[in-house]
Amino acid sequence: QVRLVESGGGLVQAGGSLRLSCVGSGSIFRVNIIGWYRQAPGKQRELVASITSAGLTNYADAVKGRFTIARADVKNTVYLQMNSLKPEDTAVYYCNFLGGPYWGQGTQVTVSS
């Protein structure tokens, strides 16, 4: 089965940037939609951004204009470029297929004020 592994998280100051990577163990681009999700302590996991196999993107209002999701097909990777980070962006970030039954460990993003 296709497996996704997240990386790229870290500790940054407010206003800083990070780029998260989601690498598939197999081809991931035949799937219709891949999304980046996040979950902060005490909050539900929420969809942050998504990209379709055709390259169409969608963003949650909270990150629109600051985050960019992109694909690199040759690398079998989906990226989440995060700019102008805010403390409220602090969460564990996950990638998954929409409706995907399995979740990885995610990657921690911590934004200090």
Side-chain angles (χ1 to χ4, degrees):
Q1 299 295 318
V2 175
R3 176 169 158 263
L4 304 176
V5 179
E6 306 94 340
S7 64
L11 173 63
V12 297
Q13 275 191 316
S17 298
L18 285 172
R19 188 176 73 164
L20 307 184
S21 297
C22 172
V23 180
S25 62
S27 178
I28 62 176
F29 302 114
R30 289 179 171 86
V31 178
N32 189 37
I33 301 174
I34 297 174
W36 278 99
Y37 303 76
R38 67 186 182 187
Q39 186 169 28
K43 300 182 68 176
Q44 296 181 10
R45 182 183 286 137
E46 294 186 314
L47 180 64
V48 174
S50 62
I51 188 165
T52 73
S53 58
L56 301 178
T57 59
N58 194 33
Y59 300 92
D61 288 343
V63 307
K64 194 170 296 182
R66 300 188 297 119
F67 291 11
T68 303
I69 188 170
R71 292 177 3 200
D73 291 26
V74 69
K75 298 180 180 179
N76 205 33
T77 300
V78 177
Y79 299 102
L80 185 67
Q81 178 67 46
M82 306 186 296
N83 299 324
S84 301
L85 283 162
K86 304 175 180 179
E88 51 262 44
D89 295 319
T90 295
V92 178
Y93 284 71
Y94 304 85
C95 64
N96 206 350
F97 311 105
L98 289 194
Y102 304 111
W103 297 89
Q105 292 185 333
T107 185
Q108 176 72 49
V109 172
T110 303
V111 185
S112 61
S113 60

